[in-house]
PDB file of all heavy atoms in Angstrom:
ATOM      1  N   CYS A1147     173.090  23.596 196.234  1.00 91.00           N
ATOM      2  CA  CYS A1147     174.064  22.866 197.053  1.00 91.00           C
ATOM      3  C   CYS A1147     174.122  23.376 198.491  1.00 91.00           C
ATOM      4  O   CYS A1147     174.876  22.839 199.311  1.00 91.00           O
ATOM      5  CB  CYS A1147     175.450  22.964 196.424  1.00 91.00           C
ATOM      6  SG  CYS A1147     175.566  22.133 194.827  1.00 91.00           S
ATOM      7  N   LEU A1148     173.344  24.408 198.805  1.00 87.00           N
ATOM      8  CA  LEU A1148     173.351  24.940 200.169  1.00 87.00           C
ATOM      9  C   LEU A1148     172.619  23.992 201.106  1.00 87.00           C
ATOM     10  O   LEU A1148     171.633  23.360 200.738  1.00 87.00           O
ATOM     11  CB  LEU A1148     172.684  26.314 200.203  1.00 87.00           C
ATOM     12  CG  LEU A1148     173.370  27.450 199.442  1.00 87.00           C
ATOM     13  CD1 LEU A1148     172.515  28.710 199.521  1.00 87.00           C
ATOM     14  CD2 LEU A1148     174.764  27.716 199.986  1.00 87.00           C
ATOM     15  N   HIS A1149     173.080  23.930 202.339  1.00 80.00           N
ATOM     16  CA  HIS A1149     172.366  23.188 203.370  1.00 80.00           C
ATOM     17  C   HIS A1149     171.219  24.045 203.903  1.00 80.00           C
ATOM     18  O   HIS A1149     171.211  25.272 203.745  1.00 80.00           O
ATOM     19  CB  HIS A1149     173.314  22.800 204.506  1.00 80.00           C
ATOM     20  CG  HIS A1149     174.411  21.886 204.071  1.00 80.00           C
ATOM     21  ND1 HIS A1149     174.175  20.590 203.671  1.00 80.00           N
ATOM     22  CD2 HIS A1149     175.757  22.086 203.949  1.00 80.00           C
ATOM     23  CE1 HIS A1149     175.325  20.016 203.335  1.00 80.00           C
ATOM     24  NE2 HIS A1149     176.299  20.909 203.494  1.00 80.00           N
ATOM     25  N   ALA A1150     170.244  23.416 204.528  1.00 69.00           N
ATOM     26  CA  ALA A1150     169.068  24.132 205.028  1.00 69.00           C
ATOM     27  C   ALA A1150     169.463  25.268 205.964  1.00 69.00           C
ATOM     28  O   ALA A1150     168.843  26.344 205.949  1.00 69.00           O
ATOM     29  CB  ALA A1150     168.136  23.161 205.735  1.00 69.00           C
ATOM     30  N   SER A1151     170.485  25.065 206.780  1.00 67.00           N
ATOM     31  CA  SER A1151     170.896  26.091 207.738  1.00 67.00           C
ATOM     32  C   SER A1151     171.492  27.319 207.054  1.00 67.00           C
ATOM     33  O   SER A1151     171.598  28.386 207.668  1.00 67.00           O
ATOM     34  CB  SER A1151     171.925  25.508 208.714  1.00 67.00           C
ATOM     35  OG  SER A1151     173.088  25.060 208.010  1.00 67.00           O
ATOM     36  N   GLN A1152     171.873  27.181 205.778  1.00 73.00           N
ATOM     37  CA  GLN A1152     172.477  28.291 205.042  1.00 73.00           C
ATOM     38  C   GLN A1152     171.442  29.102 204.263  1.00 73.00           C
ATOM     39  O   GLN A1152     171.796  30.117 203.661  1.00 73.00           O
ATOM     40  CB  GLN A1152     173.529  27.756 204.070  1.00 73.00           C
ATOM     41  CG  GLN A1152     174.687  27.046 204.740  1.00 73.00           C
ATOM     42  CD  GLN A1152     175.607  26.394 203.723  1.00 73.00           C
ATOM     43  OE1 GLN A1152     175.222  25.460 203.010  1.00 73.00           O
ATOM     44  NE2 GLN A1152     176.834  26.888 203.636  1.00 73.00           N
ATOM     45  N   ARG A1153     170.204  28.673 204.286  1.00 71.00           N
ATOM     46  CA  ARG A1153     169.164  29.348 203.512  1.00 71.00           C
ATOM     47  C   ARG A1153     168.453  30.399 204.357  1.00 71.00           C
ATOM     48  O   ARG A1153     168.260  30.210 205.554  1.00 71.00           O
ATOM     49  CB  ARG A1153     168.139  28.333 202.984  1.00 71.00           C
ATOM     50  CG  ARG A1153     168.763  27.276 202.090  1.00 71.00           C
ATOM     51  CD  ARG A1153     167.714  26.329 201.549  1.00 71.00           C
ATOM     52  NE  ARG A1153     168.343  25.286 200.761  1.00 71.00           N
ATOM     53  CZ  ARG A1153     168.731  25.427 199.494  1.00 71.00           C
ATOM     54  NH1 ARG A1153     168.513  26.581 198.901  1.00 71.00           N
ATOM     55  NH2 ARG A1153     169.308  24.434 198.848  1.00 71.00           N
ATOM     56  N   PRO A1154     168.047  31.511 203.762  1.00 66.00           N
ATOM     57  CA  PRO A1154     167.324  32.535 204.521  1.00 66.00           C
ATOM     58  C   PRO A1154     165.997  31.992 205.025  1.00 66.00           C
ATOM     59  O   PRO A1154     165.324  31.214 204.349  1.00 66.00           O
ATOM     60  CB  PRO A1154     167.113  33.658 203.494  1.00 66.00           C
ATOM     61  CG  PRO A1154     167.261  33.001 202.158  1.00 66.00           C
ATOM     62  CD  PRO A1154     168.240  31.886 202.351  1.00 66.00           C
ATOM     63  N   ARG A1155     165.626  32.402 206.227  1.00 63.00           N
ATOM     64  CA  ARG A1155     164.403  31.878 206.829  1.00 63.00           C
ATOM     65  C   ARG A1155     163.150  32.551 206.299  1.00 63.00           C
ATOM     66  O   ARG A1155     162.081  31.969 206.303  1.00 63.00           O
ATOM     67  CB  ARG A1155     164.470  32.045 208.349  1.00 63.00           C
ATOM     68  CG  ARG A1155     165.568  31.192 208.995  1.00 63.00           C
ATOM     69  CD  ARG A1155     165.500  31.268 210.494  1.00 63.00           C
ATOM     70  NE  ARG A1155     166.507  30.404 211.104  1.00 63.00           N
ATOM     71  CZ  ARG A1155     166.646  30.229 212.407  1.00 63.00           C
ATOM     72  NH1 ARG A1155     165.852  30.900 213.252  1.00 63.00           N
ATOM     73  NH2 ARG A1155     167.581  29.429 212.889  1.00 63.00           N
ATOM     74  N   ASP A1156     163.259  33.812 205.863  1.00 58.00           N
ATOM     75  CA  ASP A1156     162.097  34.521 205.335  1.00 58.00           C
ATOM     76  C   ASP A1156     161.806  34.007 203.935  1.00 58.00           C
ATOM     77  O   ASP A1156     162.597  34.200 203.015  1.00 58.00           O
ATOM     78  CB  ASP A1156     162.362  36.026 205.290  1.00 58.00           C
ATOM     79  CG  ASP A1156     161.125  36.835 204.922  1.00 58.00           C
ATOM     80  OD1 ASP A1156     160.195  36.251 204.335  1.00 58.00           O
ATOM     81  OD2 ASP A1156     161.081  38.030 205.227  1.00 58.00           O
ATOM     82  N   ARG A1157     160.684  33.326 203.774  1.00 64.00           N
ATOM     83  CA  ARG A1157     160.354  32.730 202.479  1.00 64.00           C
ATOM     84  C   ARG A1157     159.458  33.615 201.624  1.00 64.00           C
ATOM     85  O   ARG A1157     159.022  33.213 200.556  1.00 64.00           O
ATOM     86  CB  ARG A1157     159.679  31.372 202.709  1.00 64.00           C
ATOM     87  CG  ARG A1157     160.591  30.397 203.446  1.00 64.00           C
ATOM     88  CD  ARG A1157     159.917  29.067 203.658  1.00 64.00           C
ATOM     89  NE  ARG A1157     160.822  28.110 204.308  1.00 64.00           N
ATOM     90  CZ  ARG A1157     160.504  26.865 204.608  1.00 64.00           C
ATOM     91  NH1 ARG A1157     159.296  26.410 204.324  1.00 64.00           N
ATOM     92  NH2 ARG A1157     161.369  26.065 205.195  1.00 64.00           N
ATOM     93  N   GLY A1158     159.143  34.812 202.105  1.00 63.00           N
ATOM     94  CA  GLY A1158     158.365  35.747 201.295  1.00 63.00           C
ATOM     95  C   GLY A1158     156.930  35.343 201.085  1.00 63.00           C
ATOM     96  O   GLY A1158     156.296  35.769 200.125  1.00 63.00           O
TER      97      GLY A1158
END
Side-chain angles (χ1 to χ4, degrees):
C1147 294
L1148 295 176
H1149 297 292
S1151 61
Q1152 298 173 295
R1153 301 182 183 279
R1155 294 186 177 183
D1156 188 339
R1157 299 180 177 180

